[in-house]
Amino acid sequence: MSEFQNIGLIGRKGSSSAASSLRRLMAFLERDGYSVILEKDTASNVVGHKARVSSKDKLGELCDLVIVVGGDGSLLAAARALAKFSVPLLGINRGRLGFLTDITPDEIEQKVGEVLSGKYMAESRFLLDMSVTRDDKPIGKGSALNDVVVHPGEFIRMIEFDLYIDGQFVYKQRSDGLIVSTPTGSTAYALSGGGPIMHPKLDAIAVVPLNPHTLSSRPIVVEGSSEFKLIIGEQNSEHSYVTCDGHNQVITEPGDVIRIHKKPHRLTLIHPIDHNFYETCRSKLNWQRS
C-alpha cells in the first residue's frame, strides 16, 4: 500500500490548462482508490467534481501528500501555507519556467504513479521568516521559500539602509534594494540580480544588492543559520517595501527594523526518481549541452 493515501490538490487560479490537468489527475487518483481532497479555491475551478473540499490550512492536517498543479508561484504559495504541517509537496508544471514544478502535463499518470509507488526523491528545503518593527512594535511579517526583498516600491529611486549579520555591522548601502535568498530562490530573482546559483542542498543564504551605488558591493553567501537585521535609513525621502516571494508586502518608514532568519519549519519537496538539478538548470537556463 502506498504511504500516500489522502492526497490534496491545489491548482493555479483562473487557469483552464491547470483545470484540465486537475481533472485528468483526479480521474487517475480516484480510479486507483486514493482519497482526493481539493483546496476550496481550486474546487471552484473544477466543474462537476465530487471530491472533498478543504481550506488550504486543513489540507496540511488531512493529507499525506499535496500535489500542486500550476507554476512555481503556485508551489511557493502552497509551501508558505503548508510548511508548518510537514506535508510533502509535488509539482505538476502548468506555468512557464517550472524549477519547482517538474512533472510535465503529458506524464501525469506515469510520474505521479511512480511517486505513489515509492519511486521518488525527497528534498528538504528551508524557508525564511521576516518581521518588521517600528519603535520596537511589530508592524508586519511574512515567510518566503525563495527570497525576502527590500525595494523602493512604486518609485524608481535609491534607498539607504544599514545591514547587520549575526549582530555584526556589514555596511551602509545606497541601492535599489537588497535580496536575501535561500538556495531555492537562487535561480529566481537573485539570479537576475547577479547572484550565485546555489545547490538546493546547501545550508546557506545569499545576499544580493540591487544596483548598488558602488562598484565594490558584491553578492555574498553566508551560513543558513545567520540572522539578518536591516535598519531603514533616516535619510530616505520615500517609503521602502519588503516582500516575501513577491507577496506579503510591508511598507516601511525611516528607522524601521527588518529582521530575517531561517524558519523553524522545513518543506519536503518531492521529485520523480530521475530528477537532476543540473539537468533542470540546463533545460531551464539554456546551458550548453555536449
Side-chain angles (χ1 to χ4, degrees):
M1 180 178 291
S2 172
E3 63 184 295
F4 307 123
Q5 289 298 311
N6 299 306
I7 300 176
L9 301 182
I10 298 175
R12 184 179 179 182
K13 294 180 181 179
S15 168
S16 58
S17 61
S20 174
S21 290
L22 279 165
R23 286 190 290 269
R24 177 174 168 178
L25 178 59
M26 289 174 65
F28 169 70
L29 294 173
E30 290 169 348
R31 184 177 68 240
D32 283 3
Y34 293 96
S35 173
V36 175
I37 307 171
L38 281 175
E39 185 267 335
K40 65 177 183 179
D41 290 334
T42 302
S44 64
N45 202 32
V46 183
V47 178
H49 73 87
K50 297 181 180 180
R52 293 169 63 189
V53 177
S54 169
S55 67
K56 191 174 288 183
D57 273 353
K58 275 291 183 181
L59 284 183
E61 298 176 0
L62 297 173
C63 298
D64 311 309
L65 173 70
V66 171
I67 302 177
V68 180
V69 181
D72 287 345
S74 299
L75 196 138
L76 290 171
R80 292 192 300 271
L82 298 174
K84 61 184 176 182
F85 298 103
S86 300
V87 59
L89 300 186
L90 173 68
I92 295 173
N93 187 26
R94 272 300 190 177
R96 291 186 295 273
L97 199 56
F99 255 99
L100 300 173
T101 50
D102 48 13
I103 294 178
T104 62
D106 60 355
E107 57 185 9
I108 285 176
E109 291 84 359
Q110 176 192 348
K111 295 298 185 181
V112 174
E114 289 175 359
V115 168
L116 296 178
S117 68
K119 299 176 182 177
Y120 64 85
M121 297 172 57
E123 282 187 338
S124 179
R125 305 282 184 100
F126 70 84
L127 294 85
L128 298 173
D129 274 336
M130 177 278 297
S131 65
V132 182
T133 56
R134 181 175 301 155
D135 299 324
D136 294 324
K137 297 178 181 178
I139 65 165
K141 63 181 181 179
S143 60
L145 178 59
N146 266 357
D147 48 44
V148 177
V149 181
V150 182
H151 59 97
E154 56 191 287
F155 297 100
I156 305 175
R157 59 183 64 186
M158 288 191 171
I159 57 177
E160 185 176 282
F161 56 86
D162 293 345
L163 173 65
Y164 294 80
I165 300 178
D166 292 330
Q168 296 184 338
F169 177 67
V170 179
Y171 49 54
K172 180 185 293 288
Q173 185 177 102
R174 283 181 53 80
S175 66
D176 287 348
L178 191 75
I179 304 170
V180 180
S181 171
T182 68
T184 301
S186 70
T187 52
Y189 192 22
L191 179 63
S192 300
I197 293 177
M198 296 190 289
H199 193 280
K201 292 182 179 180
L202 282 175
D203 185 14
I205 296 173
V207 182
V208 183
L210 286 171
N211 300 319
H213 199 228
T214 171
L215 295 177
S216 60
S217 186
R218 291 288 184 262
I220 58 175
V221 178
V222 299
E223 285 185 294
S225 59
S226 299
E227 305 265 346
F228 301 83
K229 181 174 75 171
L230 289 87
I231 303 176
I232 303 299
E234 298 285 354
Q235 305 303 316
N236 291 329
S237 58
E238 302 292 346
H239 298 293
S240 56
Y241 291 62
V242 190
T243 57
C244 297
D245 291 343
H247 294 274
N248 299 332
Q249 184 164 277
V250 180
I251 302 175
T252 73
E253 293 182 357
D256 285 356
V257 178
I258 303 164
R259 289 183 170 85
I260 304 165
H261 58 84
K262 184 189 290 185
K263 192 177 186 70
H265 308 101
R266 298 179 71 94
L267 170 71
T268 299
L269 191 59
I270 298 293
H271 299 287
I273 196 69
D274 59 354
H275 173 74
N276 181 314
F277 173 70
Y278 303 110
E279 170 57 30
T280 300
C281 289
R282 282 194 296 273
S283 61
K284 305 300 181 180
L285 301 178
N286 297 316
W287 287 359
Q288 184 174 344
R289 296 174 181 271
S290 59

